Amino acid sequence: MKVINEPLSVKTHKRNEMIDITADVADIVAKSGIDIGMVTVFCPHTTAAVTINENTDPDVTHDILLTLEELIPHLRKGYRHNEGNSDAHVKSSLFGVSQTVYIQNGGLKLGTWQAIYFCEFDGPRHRNVHLSIFG
Amino acid sequence: MKVINEPLSVKTHKRNEMIDITADVADIVAKSGIDIGMVTVFCPHTTAAVTINENTDPDVTHDILLTLEELIPHLRKGYRHNEGNSDAHVKSSLFGVSQTVYIQNGGLKLGTWQAIYFCEFDGPRHRNVHLSIFG
Amino acid sequence: MKVINEPLSVKTHKRNEMIDITADVADIVAKSGIDIGMVTVFCPHTTAAVTINENTDPDVTHDILLTLEELIPHLRKGYRHNEGNSDAHVKSSLFGVSQTVYIQNGGLKLGTWQAIYFCEFDGPRHRNVHLSIFG
């Protein structure tokens, strides 16, 4: 059994944004030489997240971000945290900071319409993602 | 160390539905011969999810689905995705597409009241679940 | 490869509360002797959760709990479950019952601002957490 840790950098451009990182993750998995196992994509930030959703129609991520924005607007009466990003912390816990995908034949075992997204909720920023490959 | 991948089919009957698949997962784990390790139950769809919650009182899943429906109604002004299931994509990311449960003595190490649910948010459909057993 | 299962007890003091258990998890990982691998922190309850978020400013958890309370109030018209804690079941599925963190050099590979929280949504109670360390 091997465990390989690899970093991945993500540049975000908006306050709220979903960035498809599937190809980057698949590349790093392919280079790891691990044929069967799993990869955990872990976001080490508290105002961002990692999720899996559709990437064929860009309107899907638009609609996801719109829903989050309406349910959890930037400001809310009663917020105490003085950095003005409490909404981003909530969104991070709702979507979660990691996703695990199994590896089969050296590739990601995702569904046909699935992609791995880095979710920025307090950008734009330079962000890091940790990939841990186990196999 | 072994990694065993097994499929599981799920037939859903409503647009929004939580289906208890614990017994199916436990069966597949028992047949895998893995006594200690973990199983990841992964939903390869983008309008469905996997969660862990109570299964003793069926009113619990009723109330969970009611809450989701009220927070994230089927239609929302501003949605662009033309398949009419943007709400289902949001719910999928909120609940998440996979759950990992540890295996001890060949069985699922769940809490007393916990069950594994396949969550349909855009049914009825024939759905697939991927089980990856590691141990 | 080793798999080590360890319990952790958590005493909660309010109905809704986020308790930082990072130091406890790190201690148990250090004592496991596993240098590289991963730990899954699993909540075996259906009205509680485990999440990862900021722990530097206590106002962050205040604001997270406030947002959840406003989106998912204790009571909702239409709830059928007669224990009066349907909101807690919803919150549990939204945050999720487990988090996985990789272990490097015998320590938790968390981001600078990240902490592991046990989230109580129907307290105060005595709760248990299962740690499964793999490496």
Side-chain angles (χ1 to χ4, degrees):
Chain A
M1 195 195 58
K2 283 200 297 186
V3 184
I4 294 170
N5 289 304
E6 289 287 342
L8 175 64
S9 291
V10 182
K11 171 90 188 71
T12 65
H13 309 89
K14 299 178 190 171
R15 182 155 198 274
N16 290 285
E17 189 178 10
M18 290 173 70
I19 295 179
D20 185 348
I21 57 171
T22 316
D24 301 303
V25 174
D27 265 6
I28 292 171
V29 166
K31 283 177 191 150
S32 75
I34 289 178
D35 273 344
I36 187 154
M38 59 180 183
V39 55
T40 296
V41 182
F42 187 91
C43 163
H45 307 286
T46 58
T47 54
V50 179
T51 197
I52 292 175
N53 218 300
E54 198 197 288
N55 71 341
T56 307
D57 178 2
D59 287 342
V60 170
T61 54
H62 168 274
D63 293 355
I64 291 172
L65 292 174
L66 172 71
T67 311
L68 286 183
E69 191 62 25
E70 296 200 351
L71 289 175
I72 305 152
H74 191 156
L75 300 176
R76 180 179 296 268
K77 198 178 162 185
Y79 276 169
R80 294 186 188 163
H81 182 51
N82 66 11
E83 294 181 22
N85 59 2
S86 292
D87 61 320
H89 288 288
V90 178
K91 292 172 182 177
S92 174
S93 277
L94 287 173
F95 272 27
V97 291
S98 78
Q99 296 291 332
T100 294
V101 177
Y102 274 75
I103 299 167
Q104 217 171 16
N105 304 321
L108 301 175
K109 200 175 149 59
L110 286 167
T112 315
W113 311 104
Q114 285 182 322
I116 305 170
Y117 283 99
F118 180 84
C119 305
E120 174 64 81
F121 297 129
D122 190 33
R125 300 203 198 194
H126 286 280
R127 298 289 205 171
N128 302 301
V129 176
H130 297 161
L131 269 62
S132 293
I133 310 166
F134 221 93
Chain B
M1 196 195 59
K2 283 199 296 186
V3 184
I4 294 170
N5 289 305
E6 290 287 342
L8 175 65
S9 292
V10 183
K11 172 87 189 74
T12 65
H13 309 88
K14 300 178 188 169
R15 183 157 197 274
N16 290 285
E17 189 178 9
M18 291 173 70
I19 295 180
D20 185 348
I21 57 170
T22 316
D24 301 302
V25 174
D27 265 6
I28 293 171
V29 166
K31 283 176 191 150
S32 75
I34 289 179
D35 273 345
I36 186 154
M38 59 181 181
V39 56
T40 296
V41 182
F42 186 91
C43 162
H45 307 285
T46 59
T47 53
V50 179
T51 198
I52 292 175
N53 218 300
E54 197 197 289
N55 72 342
T56 307
D57 177 1
D59 287 342
V60 170
T61 55
H62 168 274
D63 292 355
I64 291 173
L65 292 174
L66 172 72
T67 310
L68 286 183
E69 191 62 24
E70 296 201 349
L71 289 175
I72 306 152
H74 191 158
L75 300 176
R76 180 180 296 268
K77 198 178 163 185
Y79 276 168
R80 294 186 187 162
H81 182 52
N82 66 11
E83 293 181 22
N85 58 3
S86 292
D87 61 319
H89 288 288
V90 178
K91 292 173 183 176
S92 174
S93 277
L94 286 173
F95 272 26
V97 291
S98 77
Q99 296 291 333
T100 294
V101 177
Y102 275 74
I103 299 167
Q104 217 172 16
N105 304 323
L108 302 175
K109 199 174 150 58
L110 286 167
T112 314
W113 311 103
Q114 284 182 322
I116 304 169
Y117 282 99
F118 180 83
C119 305
E120 174 64 83
F121 297 129
D122 190 33
R125 301 203 197 192
H126 286 279
R127 299 288 204 171
N128 301 302
V129 176
H130 297 163
L131 269 62
S132 293
I133 309 166
F134 221 93
Chain C
M1 195 195 60
K2 283 199 296 186
V3 184
I4 294 171
N5 289 304
E6 289 287 342
L8 174 65
S9 293
V10 182
K11 172 89 188 74
T12 64
H13 309 88
K14 299 179 188 171
R15 183 156 197 273
N16 290 285
E17 188 178 10
M18 290 174 69
I19 295 180
D20 185 348
I21 57 171
T22 316
D24 301 303
V25 174
D27 264 7
I28 293 170
V29 167
K31 282 177 191 149
S32 76
I34 289 179
D35 273 343
I36 187 155
M38 60 181 180
V39 56
T40 296
V41 182
F42 186 91
C43 162
H45 307 286
T46 59
T47 53
V50 179
T51 197
I52 292 175
N53 218 301
E54 198 197 288
N55 71 341
T56 308
D57 177 2
D59 286 343
V60 170
T61 54
H62 169 274
D63 292 356
I64 291 172
L65 292 174
L66 172 72
T67 310
L68 286 183
E69 190 62 24
E70 295 200 351
L71 288 175
I72 304 152
H74 191 156
L75 301 176
R76 180 180 295 269
K77 198 178 161 183
Y79 276 168
R80 294 186 189 162
H81 182 51
N82 66 10
E83 293 181 22
N85 59 2
S86 292
D87 62 319
H89 287 288
V90 178
K91 293 173 182 176
S92 174
S93 277
L94 287 173
F95 272 26
V97 292
S98 77
Q99 296 292 331
T100 295
V101 177
Y102 274 74
I103 298 167
Q104 218 171 16
N105 303 322
L108 302 175
K109 200 174 149 59
L110 286 168
T112 315
W113 310 104
Q114 285 181 322
I116 305 169
Y117 283 99
F118 180 83
C119 304
E120 173 65 81
F121 297 129
D122 191 32
R125 299 203 198 194
H126 285 279
R127 298 289 205 171
N128 302 301
V129 176
H130 297 162
L131 270 61
S132 294
I133 310 166
F134 220 94

